[in-house]
Amino acid sequence: MSQIQSPNQTIYVAHEYYDIRAELEKRPGSPPCVQVRTFAQLEQIIPQAEILVISMLWRDSLLERAPRLKLIQSISSGVEQFDLEQIRARDIHLCNARGANAAVVAEHALALMLSLSRRLYEARDNQHRAHWSGTGMDDRPRLQELTGKTVLIIGMGTIGDRLARICLALGMQVRGMRHSSRPLDVPGVTQVMASDLHAAMGQADHIVLTCPLTPQTEGLMNQRAFAAMKRDACLINVARGRVVDESALIAALRTNAIAGAALDTYADEPLPSTSPLWQLPNLVMTSHVAGETQFYERNVVDILLDNTRALETGGPLRNQIV
Ligand SMILES: NC(=O)c1ccc[n+]([C@@H]2O[C@H](COP(=O)([O-])OP(=O)(O)OC[C@H]3O[C@@H](n4cnc5c(N)ncnc54)[C@H](O)[C@@H]3O)[C@@H](O)[C@H]2O)c1
Ligand SMILES: O=C(O)[C@H](O)CO
């Protein structure tokens, strides 16, 4: 791997929303920064950029126009939008923002679990029509509590570990899976191996997806997986949309093969208005906002500045993917 010698050079940022430049300006001694917010502007600045901070505006075609690029700092934890082989072949380094939103994504997953078990979505609908739905009324299934329930977390990384600790604190039984068979980091979590995944799915009350989108995880929640789940179990996806086979999920929800689901991410984003997902009564949806937090810029800039310093000193990069 080549050693990068990088002076205190300009940081180029391409993001529509997060104000990384303003956050950098709060940090004494940080490098100068240029931030653009559209792909057209990005195409203008990319030839100058050695350090680029970016997320979903990335297109692999940009590589042809980026002769000076040395480091891509992803603003997101997921990096499926980058062609890792092409980036490696160009001797460019890629680091992700793993950890920047781990706490809040875990909180969002918990919020979705609670929304399903307490059916907060129904309460909100009732509120809008001034309808009182007390205990025993409306012939609805009983509300549930999470305490004592079993959660299966698929993807025991920064988000999964954090969620596991929260679930343990709630008195849940926690089972977790990671890519490798290396023992899990959170005491009290029962490790599930890939060969036992479907059996574990059949024992879980809640399955939470917190893994990256990879060839191994694409379509992980397919018809067979839904068939393995208990009829009163729920699926929560805060990973990536394509980890779930949406057609299989729609069928499972329509036939009550599972009790409910909550999605933050979708195969196609923004979700088209024609998607049948919008109409399902036993589905809670958020619009890929699980990682959103008022601390996002602060947390990303902490990682970014560690990495610009590492470029100067030749030290190890943080969250290095390539
Ligand atoms: N909805 C959102 O807003 C949001 C925000 C942040 C991250 N994410 C998604 O969550 C993913 C995880 O984020 P993280 O920061 O915890 O990443 P991480 O790298 O810390 O953890 C990922 C974990 O998934 C495990 N994993 C990989 N392949 C697996 C497989 N086939 N089966 C089971 N486990 C597998 C890894 O071993 C690792 O433990 C990201 O890649 C991203 O796609 C979504
Ligand atoms: O991967 C992430 O960090 C979030 O999904 C935001 O892109």
Side-chain angles (χ1 to χ4, degrees), residues 76-80 96-102 104-105 108 153-161 177-180 182 184 194 197 209-218 220 237-240 243 264-265 269 288-292 296 321:
S76 51
S77 172
V79 287
E80 70 283 347
N96 73 1
R98 175 178 187 266
N101 51 20
V104 76
V105 179
H108 198 88
I153 301 174
I154 302 179
M156 289 292 290
T158 58
I159 298 168
D161 284 4
M177 183 180 158
R178 62 166 29 151
H179 183 52
S180 70
R182 193 161 51 86
L184 299 177
L197 181 59
L209 305 176
T210 55
C211 52
L213 175 64
T214 65
Q216 292 77 40
T217 62
E218 182 157 12
L220 183 87
N237 185 16
V238 291
R240 284 291 183 265
V243 179
D264 183 56
T265 55
E269 296 183 5
H288 200 151
V289 292
E292 163 62 350
Y296 207 97
I321 305 293

Side-chain angles (χ1 to χ4, degrees), residues 76-269:
S76 51
S77 172
V79 287
E80 70 283 347
Q81 68 272 40
F82 298 98
D83 181 330
L84 303 188
E85 286 317 310
Q86 272 202 62
I87 289 172
R88 191 173 287 114
R90 280 280 316 278
D91 226 0
I92 296 167
H93 293 282
L94 169 68
C95 298
N96 73 1
R98 175 178 187 266
N101 51 20
V104 76
V105 179
E107 286 179 24
H108 198 88
L110 174 69
L112 295 175
M113 288 166 71
L114 286 167
S115 180
L116 288 166
S117 62
R118 305 308 298 164
R119 292 206 306 279
L120 297 181
Y121 53 95
E122 271 181 17
R124 180 72 183 192
D125 292 346
N126 287 336
Q127 178 187 334
H128 281 161
R129 53 192 186 101
H131 175 71
W132 180 268
S133 178
T135 299
M137 295 171 63
D138 291 339
D139 197 22
R140 298 289 302 146
R142 303 289 295 269
L143 296 179
Q144 302 286 309
E145 65 180 272
L146 293 180
T147 309
K149 291 281 175 71
T150 297
V151 60
L152 169 63
I153 301 174
I154 302 179
M156 289 292 290
T158 58
I159 298 168
D161 284 4
R162 176 90 182 177
L163 179 63
R165 289 179 205 278
I166 294 171
C167 292
L168 287 169
L170 287 175
M172 300 183 79
Q173 309 297 317
V174 185
R175 313 189 76 193
M177 183 180 158
R178 62 166 29 151
H179 183 52
S180 70
S181 55
R182 193 161 51 86
L184 299 177
D185 300 317
V186 183
V189 178
T190 306
Q191 185 157 11
V192 172
M193 298 300 170
S195 53
D196 300 329
L197 181 59
H198 282 96
M201 284 177 174
Q203 289 153 5
D205 300 299
H206 293 263
I207 296 176
V208 187
L209 305 176
T210 55
C211 52
L213 175 64
T214 65
Q216 292 77 40
T217 62
E218 182 157 12
L220 183 87
M221 291 307 301
N222 54 17
Q223 198 180 10
R224 199 174 143 229
F226 291 116
M229 286 175 70
K230 297 197 293 186
R231 288 189 88 82
D232 59 356
C234 292
L235 172 74
I236 293 96
N237 185 16
V238 291
R240 284 291 183 265
R242 280 162 42 209
V243 179
V244 177
D245 175 339
E246 283 178 358
S247 304
L249 172 65
I250 291 166
L253 289 171
R254 280 187 175 148
T255 58
N256 296 316
I258 64 171
L263 304 179
D264 183 56
T265 55
Y266 307 86
D268 199 3
E269 296 183 5

